[in-house]
């Protein structure tokens, strides 16, 4: 039976299709709340001819995008910080996963701990935070302005807390240094939460 991966926040489907192409024995379900992006993803899928990918419109915090305990992996590629309700997204990922499943998050690395000084320790983080103020944070606040409002420079401590609060038994964090042109001087966080 193929490994099932739910790619949450898949946008126009490139990450989902790349995973499916590089790992042909997996089944990928791409999920995004933005219907026009899912339409583009379905077009990309049609052009690629891949048969191990499907796309679904669904909010990351709703129960409509997954089964119960059927997925091996859930992924959040550069989108978790944009979510209106990331705590509920963590709970839904937990529900979607098999007992030994994992959630993988790749998010910009702004700081390990809360506080302005922690963010200023990374020289490009203030610039990236400024850009995030115009896209990531408003998206995370949602149309009613009541969402989490995290944005791209959320401290790693918040990721850990929300995944642990959702029931995951462990959360490991690795930081990659992608060089001086990375979104932050410290690159991205690679987070693996184990159910």
């Amino acid at each position: 039976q193929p490994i099932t991966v739910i790619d949450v926040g898949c946008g126009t489907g490139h990450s989902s299709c790349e995973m499916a192409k590089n790992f042909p024995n997996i089944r990928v379900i791409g999920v995004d709340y933005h219907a026009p992006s899912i339409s583009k993803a379905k077009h990309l899928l049609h052009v690629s001819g891949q048969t191990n990918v499907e796309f679904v419109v669904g909010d990351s915090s709703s129960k409509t995008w997954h089964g119960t305990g059927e997925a091996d992996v859930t992924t959040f590629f550069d989108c978790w910080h944009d979510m209106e309700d990331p705590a509920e997204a963590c709970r839904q990922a937990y529900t979607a996963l098999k007992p030994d499943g994992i959630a993988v998050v790749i998010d910009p690395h702004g700081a390990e701990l809360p506080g302005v000084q922690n963010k200023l320790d990374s020289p490009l983080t203030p610039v990236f935070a400024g850009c995030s103020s115009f896209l990531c944070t408003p998206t995370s606040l949602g149309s009613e302005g009541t969402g989490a409002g995290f944005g791209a420079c959320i401290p790693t401590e918040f990721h850990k807390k929300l995944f642990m609060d959702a029931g995951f038994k462990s959360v490991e964090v690795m930081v990659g240094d992608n060089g001086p042109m990375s979104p932050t001087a410290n690159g991205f966080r690679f987070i693996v939460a184990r159910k």
Side-chain angles (χ1 to χ4, degrees):
Q1 191 173 37
I3 291 173
T4 299
V5 178
I6 300 176
D7 187 17
V8 184
C10 70
T12 57
H14 291 278
S15 57
S16 304
C17 286
E18 280 299 312
M19 281 190 288
K21 180 175 81 175
N22 288 293
F23 302 98
N25 294 328
I26 69 172
R27 174 178 168 244
V28 180
I29 303 167
V31 180
D32 203 284
Y33 78 100
H34 190 245
S37 291
I38 290 295
S39 291
K40 288 182 179 181
K42 287 179 178 179
H43 176 72
L44 176 67
L45 180 60
H46 175 72
V47 170
S48 74
Q50 291 173 279
T51 58
N52 58 337
V53 186
E54 64 183 273
F55 291 103
V56 185
V57 175
D59 187 292
S60 61
S61 63
S62 75
K63 297 178 174 91
T64 61
W65 56 269
H66 61 77
T68 301
E70 298 167 8
D72 298 281
V73 179
T74 58
T75 60
F76 299 84
F77 295 135
D78 195 19
C79 66
W80 191 86
H81 64 276
D82 293 323
M83 294 183 175
E84 194 172 339
D85 191 349
E88 185 60 24
C90 291
R91 288 189 287 274
Q92 294 305 323
Y94 184 88
T95 301
L97 288 168
K98 292 178 179 177
D100 58 347
I102 61 170
V104 177
V105 178
I106 299 177
D107 237 9
H109 183 244
E112 288 300 311
L113 301 169
V116 172
Q117 187 56 48
N118 288 308
K119 292 179 182 174
L120 293 176
D121 288 342
S122 179
L124 290 179
T125 299
V127 173
F128 198 60
C131 296
S132 176
S133 299
F134 294 99
L135 179 63
C136 307
T137 304
T139 300
S140 181
L141 285 170
S143 61
E144 301 297 319
T146 57
F150 283 159
C153 297
I154 176 177
T156 304
E157 180 180 285
F158 289 16
H159 289 83
K160 290 179 184 176
K161 179 180 180 349
L162 294 182
F163 276 99
M164 293 300 284
D165 287 352
F168 287 86
K169 64 183 174 190
S170 69
V171 180
E172 301 168 56
V173 180
M174 299 158 278
V175 177
D177 183 359
N178 298 325
M181 297 308 291
S182 64
T184 67
N186 293 324
F188 282 88
R189 292 175 264 235
F190 299 86
I191 301 167
V192 177
R194 298 181 186 282
K195 186 169 179 180

